[in-house]
Amino acid sequence: MKQTFPQATVDGYDPSDASISEVDSAIRAQGSFTSDWNQMRRDYNLIAVTNVMHHVPPDKRQDVIASLRDRLAPGGILIIVEHNPLNPLTQWAVSNCAFDDDAILLPTAETKKYILHSGLEVLRRDYIVFFPHLLAWLRPLEPHLSWCPAGAQYAVMARRTANV
């Protein structure tokens, strides 16, 4: 991100102090990294939540999305990337991953529901990650497949409107 947006501040949050301590010092110098949610700002232009929501208990997911919305500046963008439960290889990988023991995959429609109930505007949904490393030479085709629910993951992009 720093290469594309050199003036950007990059902050990070993880509930695990151990994970925060693993953040490279060069990256740490670009912003603030914390395991204290209350230290996060409330004026972000972009928040990316990557493969997190499947670790959040379903009864807490709406609250998490609302809390993310509250940290966006008006017009700010929220991007949620999640594992696609429609993909059988993704289901297999998650079920065989030690740190996904608590994972409950959520379909795209569920993610969009939380976003809409938080008053955010859904801008787009793309399916992503179609080809494994062995077939990496086919990855230039992936942008043309974003409509196809066979991708291993999906991304939903939403915007905080001025009236939320």
Side-chain angles (χ1 to χ4, degrees):
M1 284 181 31
K2 263 320 221 193
Q3 290 174 348
T4 303
F5 305 106
Q7 301 303 317
T9 299
V10 178
D11 294 344
Y13 166 80
D14 194 290
S16 162
D17 287 328
S19 293
I20 293 297
S21 72
E22 294 293 320
V23 176
D24 182 88
S25 61
I27 294 171
R28 188 180 293 278
Q30 298 175 13
S32 172
F33 293 82
T34 183
S35 59
D36 181 355
W37 183 244
N38 295 316
Q39 290 183 7
M40 302 305 292
R41 298 188 345 243
R42 293 187 173 267
D43 63 344
Y44 290 102
N45 292 314
L46 173 67
I47 296 176
V49 180
T50 306
N51 295 323
V52 170
M53 293 303 295
H54 64 274
H55 293 289
V56 176
D59 64 333
K60 304 284 187 215
R61 290 175 177 169
Q62 187 65 63
D63 293 338
V64 168
I65 299 297
S67 184
L68 292 167
R69 175 208 58 216
D70 293 345
R71 284 175 163 58
L72 283 172
I77 301 293
L78 172 64
I79 299 174
I80 297 177
V81 177
E82 270 302 319
H83 297 309
N84 180 8
L86 297 176
N87 183 302
L89 292 176
T90 296
Q91 290 180 18
W92 178 86
V94 169
S95 69
N96 288 286
C97 179
F99 59 83
D100 277 337
D101 284 345
D102 65 344
I104 301 173
L105 297 181
L106 57 163
T108 309
E110 183 178 342
T111 300
K112 287 171 72 174
K113 178 188 79 168
Y114 297 133
I115 289 169
L116 291 170
H117 284 227
S118 292
L120 299 171
E121 173 190 14
V122 174
L123 300 175
R124 65 183 298 156
R125 180 268 309 129
D126 290 335
Y127 292 97
I128 57 176
V129 189
F130 289 86
F131 302 108
H133 182 70
L134 184 64
L135 299 174
W137 60 276
L138 290 171
R139 288 184 180 159
L141 298 174
E142 289 190 358
H144 305 289
L145 297 172
S146 63
W147 59 270
C148 179
Q153 296 183 339
Y154 64 84
V156 178
M157 181 187 298
R159 175 178 33 224
R160 180 174 184 171
T161 58
N163 61 352
V164 177

